[in-house]
C-alpha cells in the first residue's frame, strides 16, 4: 500500500490550525501529514465565535493564558471604522427581530439609535472583562483574541500529539496545502490547495482557515484520484469568497447602493424596502453583522416588516 502524504506550509498559525484538523480527522494508517511552519507576524489574532466549536472538533483544550473574549470587531470602511457585533441588538419578540420593533418605534418619534441597544457593542467599547461564569449566563456570542505566537504553538503541539510530523523544508506530497497570504483565488488544482487570505477584516483570517480545514476533511478521499473532490472544494471556496467580497464591497465602495453584484444588490434592495436581510448560501457573516454594516453605510429601511 502506497503512503498518502499531505504537506502543509505557510505561517505558523495557519499551518497549526489546518494541521490540527487534518491530524484529527484525516490522518490514519497509510497516511502522513507533514507540517512546515514558517515565521509568522507578531501581535494578536482574533477568532470569530465559531472558535469554540472548532476547538471542540479538534479536541483542543486551550490554555487560558492570553485568551480574551471579543464581542465585536472594528472594520475599516470608506467612512472610517465600522463596528460589527457578534450578537444581535436587543431581543427578538414573537419571532420578529428587534430592529423591526426599533424601526416601528422610530416612526412613532423614538430617537434612540439601534446601536444603543447592543450589549455586544457596549462591552466592546468599554473593554469590560467578564468571567467564564458570567459569559455562560449572558445571551451573547463571542470570539476570542489570542497572542498569535502562543496560539500557533498550542495548535502545532496539538497536531503533533495527534500524529503530525514536522519538517524544515517542503518535500514532495500528493497534496500541498498553502496557507501563505495570497491575492490568488482559493482553490484546489494539480495537487496544490491555495487558501485565500482574509486578513483585511478582523477575525476573517481565522475563519477562512477554519472553514478550509473543515471543507478539505469533508471531501477527503484517495489523493491519487481526487479530481471530483478538488473541483467541489474549489466551487465551495469560491462561493465563500464571493460572500466575503460582498461585505468588502458594502464597507468600501463609495456608493454601495449602486453595486452590480446580484447578491449584495438583493441584500440592499430588500433591507432598504422592509428591513429584512436575505441569507445566501455559504454566508460568513451573520445577519446582525450585515445589519450593522448596512446601517453604518447609511442604508435604512423605508418601513418595518
Amino acid at each position: 500500500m502506497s503512503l498518502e502524504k499531505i504537506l502543509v506550509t505557510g505561517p505558523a498559525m495557519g499551518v497549526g490550525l489546518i494541521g490540527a484538523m487534518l491530524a484529527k480527522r484525516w490522518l490514519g494508517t497509510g497516511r502522513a501529514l507533514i507540517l512546515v511552519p514558517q515565521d509568522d507576524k507578531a501581535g494578536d489574532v482574533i477568532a470569530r465565535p465559531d472558535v469554540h466549536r472548532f476547538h471542540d472538533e479538534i479536541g483542543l483544550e486551550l490554555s487560558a493564558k492570553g485568551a480574551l473574549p471579543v464581542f465585536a470587531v472594528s472594520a475599516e470602511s470608506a467612512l472610517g471604522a465600522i463596528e460589527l457585533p457578534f450578537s444581535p441588538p436587543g431581543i427578538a419578540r414573537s419571532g420578529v427581530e428587534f430592529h423591526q420593533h426599533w424601526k416601528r418605534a422610530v416612526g412613532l418619534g423614538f430617537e434612540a439609535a439601534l446601536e444603543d441597544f447592543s450589549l455586544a457593542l457596549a462591552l466592546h467599547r468599554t473593554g469590560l472583562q467578564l468571567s467564564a461564569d458570567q459569559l455562560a449566563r449572558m445571551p451573547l456570542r463571542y470570539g476570542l483574541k489570542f497572542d498569535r505566537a502562543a496560539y500557533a504553538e498550542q495548535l502545532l503541539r496539538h497536531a503533533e500529539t495527534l500524529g503530525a510530523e514536522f519538517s524544515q523544508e517542503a518535500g514532495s506530497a500528493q497534496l500541498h496545502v498553502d496557507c501563505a497570504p495570497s491575492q490568488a483565488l482559493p482553490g484546489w488544482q494539480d495537487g496544490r490547495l491555495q487558501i485565500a487570505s482574509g486578513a483585511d477584516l478582523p477575525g476573517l483570517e481565522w475563519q477562512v482557515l477554519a472553514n478550509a480545514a473543515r471543507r478539505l476533511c469533508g471531501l477527503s478521499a484517495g489523493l491519487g484520484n481526487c479530481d471530483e473532490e478538488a473541483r467541489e472544494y474549489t466551487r465551495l471556496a469560491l462561493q465563500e469568497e464571493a460572500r466575503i467580497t460582498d461585505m468588502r464591497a458594502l464597507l468600501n465602495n463609495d456608493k454601495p447602493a449602486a453595486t452590480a453584484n446580484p447578491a449584495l444588490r438583493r441584500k440592499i434592495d430588500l433591507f432598504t424596502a422592509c428591513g429584512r436581510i436575505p441569507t445566501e448560501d455559504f454566508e460568513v457573516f451573520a445577519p446582525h453583522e450585515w445589519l450593522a454594516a448596512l446601517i453604518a453605510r447609511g442604508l435604512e429601511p423605508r418601513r418595518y416588516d
Side-chain angles (χ1 to χ4, degrees):
M1 181 176 64
S2 60
L3 182 68
E4 292 189 337
K5 184 186 296 185
I6 291 181
L7 174 71
V8 187
T9 65
M13 190 201 73
V15 172
L17 198 150
I18 297 290
M21 178 61 82
L22 285 171
K24 180 68 174 181
R25 293 182 52 188
W26 177 82
L27 195 56
T29 303
R31 292 177 169 180
L33 175 63
I34 310 299
L35 308 183
V36 187
Q38 300 158 3
D39 290 341
D40 211 334
K41 57 187 177 182
D44 295 328
V45 60
I46 292 175
R48 292 171 59 82
D50 184 41
V51 66
H52 308 287
R53 181 165 64 97
F54 184 85
H55 288 163
D56 285 343
E57 290 174 11
I58 64 174
L60 176 63
E61 292 188 11
L62 271 178
S63 164
K65 181 180 179 182
L68 298 174
V70 176
F71 304 99
V73 293
S74 296
E76 291 302 317
S77 78
L79 300 179
I82 289 177
E83 295 170 312
L84 304 179
F86 287 147
S87 297
I91 299 173
R93 180 181 179 187
S94 301
V96 179
E97 296 146 315
F98 178 83
H99 72 271
Q100 297 284 6
H101 296 287
W102 167 80
K103 180 62 180 177
R104 179 175 182 271
V106 168
L108 297 173
F110 190 63
E111 296 183 354
L114 181 60
E115 64 184 31
D116 293 344
F117 298 92
S118 174
L119 179 57
L121 287 180
L123 291 169
H124 172 67
R125 291 168 181 173
T126 61
L128 180 66
Q129 296 302 314
L130 303 178
S131 68
D133 288 342
Q134 289 173 314
L135 287 169
R137 295 196 300 269
M138 300 186 77
L140 286 174
R141 301 185 74 228
Y142 64 95
L144 293 172
K145 180 169 71 174
F146 310 100
D147 174 79
R148 182 181 291 268
Y151 183 49
E153 181 68 17
Q154 289 189 66
L155 289 168
L156 290 168
R157 295 285 76 78
H158 185 62
E160 184 177 35
T161 64
L162 294 172
E165 304 172 44
F166 290 91
S167 176
Q168 294 184 341
E169 57 184 43
S172 61
Q174 288 95 333
L175 177 61
H176 177 187
V177 180
D178 187 354
C179 303
S182 171
Q183 297 302 314
L185 290 173
W188 176 358
Q189 187 175 14
D190 298 329
R192 188 179 187 88
L193 191 151
Q194 178 69 57
I195 300 175
S197 172
D200 56 325
L201 294 172
L204 199 56
E205 176 190 13
W206 182 92
Q207 191 67 65
V208 167
L209 287 163
N211 289 351
R214 290 189 180 110
R215 189 180 302 121
L216 175 57
C217 289
L219 292 170
S220 62
L223 296 178
N225 183 21
C226 56
D227 290 346
E228 292 294 333
E229 288 80 5
R231 281 193 290 270
E232 180 64 2
Y233 178 97
T234 301
R235 183 185 74 84
L236 298 177
L238 290 174
Q239 287 287 331
E240 177 188 67
E241 180 65 18
R243 303 289 74 76
I244 295 170
T245 299
D246 292 344
M247 179 61 85
R248 288 192 181 111
L250 176 59
L251 292 172
N252 297 310
N253 287 3
D254 290 336
K255 296 181 179 179
T259 181
N261 183 310
L264 181 56
R265 175 81 269 161
R266 184 162 48 250
K267 273 190 173 66
I268 291 173
D269 286 348
L270 188 55
F271 179 73
T272 54
C274 61
R276 298 182 65 185
I277 301 173
T279 299
E280 304 291 334
D281 291 337
F282 311 105
E283 287 279 11
V284 176
F285 301 96
H288 46 267
E289 293 176 275
W290 285 108
L291 172 65
L294 287 160
I295 290 179
R297 289 309 317 267
L299 301 166
E300 294 195 9
R302 293 186 292 273
R303 63 175 175 84
Y304 65 88
D305 184 358

